[in-house]
Amino acid sequence: MKKTANRLTPERPSSHEVTISQVNPSQHHNLILEMNSYRAEPLQRELKQLRILLLVPTEASGKMPNVRLFKDQLRHLVKEVLAIKFQHNLEEYLAHFQPDLILALGSETLFPEENLPALKASNVPKAVWMADAACLTPTERNLALLFDYIFTQNIANLIYYQGLWGKHSSFLPYAADTDLYYPRRVEDCYQSDVLILGDFQIDSVLYTFAYSDLLQGLKVMIAGRGWEPPRNFIDITHSKDMSSYYNG
């Protein structure tokens, strides 16, 4: 079946949405960009014809995906991906590259004031994939206001994003780093029924899951800060070979 996408119009109400989803690890963590029908242009465009302008902070943090791998995966899905830094001349790149989608990564850096006019004036759909795994910071709140579509690492943040008028928000964790995770066989000591990854936060989804009855009788390993492993969980937080535990 041919994948197609219409050109998006962010001013349309939230009855339509854009989603980026992660596929099974066995499929190399490819990213699927799905754009549902917007009626601004009746002529559909093939997904492979889309051009994405990828905006990344000057200094990438450990909370962000590997930009090189991320860009390479997107290139399998669309016609062209151009990655530029936040501080590059956005107006110039918009004029010459003419993207179909602006996608920003990360959320720990303020967007430069000199590029705000070009970003706000552009009719190109704008999305930000936040690195907001913890509680929302003022920087993240301000960055979210600039974009039409918001993807969050923390499902608890959806309440805030959904309260922003005219925004489309979705819970979408980053895919695993393929430099760290790649399918392979491992020894029994690395194998488990459930591997919990994430820092301890009371009343969070992980907290509720860890203390539920769903894990009774299972071999569970846990990696994250602040945990006092419940039951007979195995704490592997300080392991130097996380790749093996992922495969286990």
Side-chain angles (χ1 to χ4, degrees):
M1 179 179 295
K2 182 180 293 184
K3 298 178 181 178
T4 61
N6 287 337
R7 186 174 181 84
L8 305 180
T9 302
E11 291 79 11
R12 295 280 177 180
S14 58
S15 58
H16 303 79
E17 61 182 16
V18 174
T19 60
I20 302 179
S21 58
Q22 168 188 336
V23 299
N24 189 280
S26 65
Q27 295 172 281
H28 308 293
H29 299 286
N30 287 340
L31 299 173
I32 301 174
L33 184 64
E34 301 171 346
M35 300 184 179
N36 294 336
S37 58
Y38 277 68
R39 292 175 292 177
E41 291 184 8
L43 181 63
Q44 288 191 329
R45 300 187 60 193
E46 292 186 16
L47 188 59
K48 202 61 179 170
Q49 296 301 313
L50 297 182
R51 300 156 65 90
I52 295 180
L53 183 61
L54 186 64
L55 309 181
V56 296
T58 305
E59 297 183 4
S61 72
K63 298 179 181 179
M64 286 175 49
N66 182 304
V67 174
R68 176 183 56 81
L69 292 175
F70 185 88
K71 184 173 63 174
D72 289 345
Q73 293 297 325
L74 276 181
R75 281 174 172 163
H76 291 298
L77 301 170
V78 300
K79 178 179 180 179
E80 192 172 357
V81 180
L82 176 63
I84 66 171
K85 302 293 187 181
F86 276 8
Q87 78 275 15
H88 286 167
N89 191 319
L90 182 60
E91 183 177 16
E92 180 178 329
Y93 279 100
L94 286 173
H96 289 86
F97 185 62
Q98 296 185 346
D100 300 291
L101 173 69
I102 298 172
L103 176 61
L105 284 183
S107 56
E108 298 176 281
T109 304
L110 283 172
F111 203 77
E113 290 189 11
E114 59 270 24
N115 280 333
L116 286 178
L119 184 69
K120 293 179 178 179
S122 175
N123 291 324
V124 176
K126 298 175 277 286
V128 58
W129 204 344
M130 308 285 274
D132 56 348
C135 58
L136 279 171
T137 66
T139 298
E140 289 162 347
R141 292 174 186 269
N142 290 332
L143 193 64
L145 294 173
L146 302 176
F147 294 87
D148 309 307
Y149 305 94
I150 305 163
F151 303 106
T152 176
Q153 306 297 304
N154 191 338
I155 196 169
N157 294 342
L158 275 178
I159 296 176
Y160 171 76
Y161 296 137
Q162 290 172 346
L164 300 177
W165 185 84
K167 307 295 182 182
H168 309 256
S169 56
S170 300
F171 169 59
L172 186 65
Y174 291 139
D177 187 340
T178 50
D179 282 343
L180 176 64
Y181 173 82
Y182 47 93
R184 60 188 173 91
R185 294 184 180 275
V186 294
E187 299 176 8
D188 290 346
C189 62
Y190 294 107
Q191 296 180 8
S192 61
D193 297 309
V194 177
L195 173 60
I196 297 178
L197 303 172
D199 296 340
F200 176 88
Q201 287 183 329
I202 195 166
D203 294 332
S204 67
V205 173
L206 278 184
Y207 173 89
T208 303
F209 176 66
Y211 287 90
S212 71
D213 294 333
L214 297 172
L215 303 182
Q216 286 186 355
L218 299 180
K219 181 181 179 181
V220 180
M221 295 183 179
I222 195 164
R225 295 172 297 181
W227 287 96
E228 293 183 5
R231 303 172 185 166
N232 296 317
F233 289 4
I234 303 171
D235 190 349
I236 59 168
T237 302
H238 301 293
S239 171
K240 295 182 179 179
D241 190 13
M242 289 304 298
S243 177
S244 293
Y245 289 107
Y246 289 170
N247 281 281

